[in-house]
C-alpha cells in the first residue's frame, strides 16, 4: 500500500464511490467497500476501484464454513486484495479460511482480516452473551484462537493495538475508529488519532466519514495523510 490509509467508501452509488476514490487516490493506500455497494452493483465497484489501489471487501463473513469459503473466494475473484470474516467464526471455519488464504496467496497477495470486536461497541453496548468478559480479554482470546488456526491479520480498535503488538509483534493490524481532533466520533465508541494509532503499532487505518462527508474530501484525506 502506498499509504497506510484505507478509505471506507460507505456511499450509495458506484459513481460517487469512484469519484471519491479518484479525488483522494493521492493520499490513500486502498479503498474499502461493503455490502452497501456490492449488493447493488456486484463486482463492478471492486474491479473499477482495483484499477486505482488495492480493494478491501468488508462484508464480515460469519456463516457455516463452506459458505464462508465460497464468499471469500468470490471476493478474491472480484479483484479484492483484502476481505473480512468474524474472528468468532470458530476453529473449523478459521482453519479452512487459513488454508484458502494460503492457496490464494500463490496467485496474488490477499489477506483475510479477522474482525475482533466492532469499534462501535463498548463494554455496556455488547450483546448479552458477550457482556461479562472485558473487551480486551475477548479480543486477545479471539486473536489467540485465530493464530492457532493459521490466521494472523486482524481488525481491532486502536485502543487494543499496543497490547496485541506487544504480545504478537508479527500480527497485521487494521484499525477503524480513526478521527482527527476536529472530527465527530459518529457512532464509533472507541476512537483514536491516526498518528497515535500508527505509533502504537497499527499497520493500516480505516477512515470513512471524516473524509467521505467532508466538504472537500481531497483536502480531508490530505490532512489524514499529513498527520502521519
Ligand atoms: O466512517 P468511519 O470512519 O467510522 O468508518 C469506519 C469503517 O470501518 C466503516 O465502514 C465500518 O463498517 C468499518 N469497521 C468498523 N469497526 C470494525 C470493523 C469495520 O468501524 N471493527
Amino acid at each position: 500500500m502506498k499509504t497506510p490509509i484505507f478509505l471506507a467508501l460507505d456511499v450509495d452509488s458506484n459513481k460517487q464511490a469512484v469519484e471519491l476514490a479518484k479525488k483522494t487516490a493521492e493520499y490513500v493506500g486502498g479503498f474499502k467497500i461493503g455490502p452497501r455497494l456490492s449488493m447493488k452493483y456486484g463486482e463492478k465497484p471492486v474491479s473499477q476501484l482495483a484499477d486505482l489501489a488495492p480493494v478491501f471487501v468488508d462484508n464480515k463473513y460469519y456463516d457455516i464454513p463452506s459458505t464462508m469459503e465460497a464468499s471469500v473466494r468470490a471476493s478474491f475473484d472480484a479483484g479484492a486484495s483484502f476481505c473480512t470474516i468474524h474472528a468468532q467464526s470458530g476453529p473449523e471455519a478459521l482453519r479452512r479460511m487459513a488454508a484458502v488464504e494460503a492457496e490464494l496467496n500463490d496467485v496474488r497477495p490477499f489477506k483475510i482480516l479477522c474482525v475482533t470486536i466492532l469499534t462501535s461497541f463498548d463494554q455496556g453496548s455488547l450483546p448479552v452473551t458477550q457482556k461479562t468478559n472485558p473487551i480486551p480479554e475477548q479480543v486477545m482470546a479471539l486473536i489467540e484462537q485465530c493464530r492457532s488456526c493459521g490466521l494472523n491479520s486482524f481488525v481491532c480498535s486502536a485502543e487494543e493495538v499496543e497490547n496485541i503488538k506487544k504480545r504478537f509483534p508479527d500480527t497485521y493490524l487494521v484499525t477503524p475508529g480513526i478521527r482527527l481532533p476536529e472530527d465527530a466520533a459518529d457512532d464509533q465508541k472507541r476512537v483514536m488519532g491516526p498518528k497515535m494509532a500508527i505509533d502504537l503499532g497499527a499497520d493500516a487505518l480505516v477512515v470513512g466519514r471524516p473524509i467521505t462527508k467532508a466538504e472537500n474530501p481531497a483536502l480531508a484525506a490530505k490532512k489524514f495523510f499529513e498527520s502521519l
Side-chain angles (χ1 to χ4, degrees):
M1 279 168 72
K2 195 173 66 184
T3 83
I5 302 170
F6 281 110
L7 176 63
L9 290 166
D10 293 323
V11 293
D12 289 317
S13 91
N14 192 40
K15 188 166 171 271
Q16 218 184 337
V18 172
E19 275 171 14
L20 274 167
K22 286 187 175 156
K23 279 184 192 157
T24 56
E26 201 181 331
Y27 308 110
V28 308
F31 300 107
K32 184 176 92 69
I33 69 156
R36 193 163 160 184
L37 282 180
S38 53
M39 276 300 295
K40 220 165 163 179
Y41 301 99
E43 291 188 11
K44 196 174 157 193
V46 184
S47 54
Q48 275 190 317
L49 294 166
D51 288 339
L52 298 170
V55 176
F56 170 173
V57 169
D58 187 16
N59 289 345
K60 300 186 182 69
Y61 305 124
Y62 178 45
D63 212 312
I64 58 171
S66 57
T67 302
M68 286 179 70
E69 176 175 343
S71 308
V72 168
R73 286 185 186 279
S75 308
F76 178 86
D77 291 343
S81 299
F82 301 82
C83 79
T84 41
I85 62 166
H86 274 283
Q88 337 214 10
S89 303
E92 189 190 333
L94 294 173
R95 276 194 288 272
R96 197 147 158 182
M97 296 304 107
V100 172
E101 187 185 55
E103 180 200 314
L104 297 178
N105 268 277
D106 285 341
V107 183
R108 60 181 165 79
F110 182 72
K111 281 193 198 306
I112 298 178
L113 306 168
C114 307
V115 177
T116 55
I117 303 282
L118 295 170
T119 41
S120 54
F121 282 125
D122 57 16
Q123 194 67 39
S125 59
L126 280 171
V128 63
T129 50
Q130 288 174 277
K131 251 188 176 28
T132 44
N133 284 347
I135 288 180
E137 277 178 28
Q138 295 191 44
V139 169
M140 214 51 98
L142 288 168
I143 288 183
E144 274 176 42
Q145 177 159 66
C146 290
R147 282 172 61 88
S148 74
C149 294
L151 292 166
N152 203 27
S153 306
F154 300 93
V155 179
C156 62
S157 138
E159 289 173 11
E160 279 123 30
V161 164
E162 191 177 15
N163 278 340
I164 298 169
K165 280 281 173 172
K166 252 188 218 153
R167 186 137 164 224
F168 306 116
D170 61 333
T171 45
Y172 179 84
L173 302 182
V174 178
T175 64
I178 300 299
R179 295 291 185 269
L180 289 171
E182 63 268 31
D183 296 327
D186 305 301
D187 53 357
Q188 298 288 12
K189 298 215 170 54
R190 293 176 292 144
V191 299
M192 191 179 281
K195 170 109 175 48
M196 189 161 188
I198 292 285
D199 287 348
L200 290 174
D203 296 285
L205 313 173
V206 173
V207 185
R209 287 162 291 186
I211 296 175
T212 57
K213 300 257 188 248
E215 223 165 274
N216 184 339
L219 187 65
K222 187 171 182 240
K223 274 197 208 163
F224 275 90
F225 174 74
E226 285 176 349
S227 76
L228 298 173

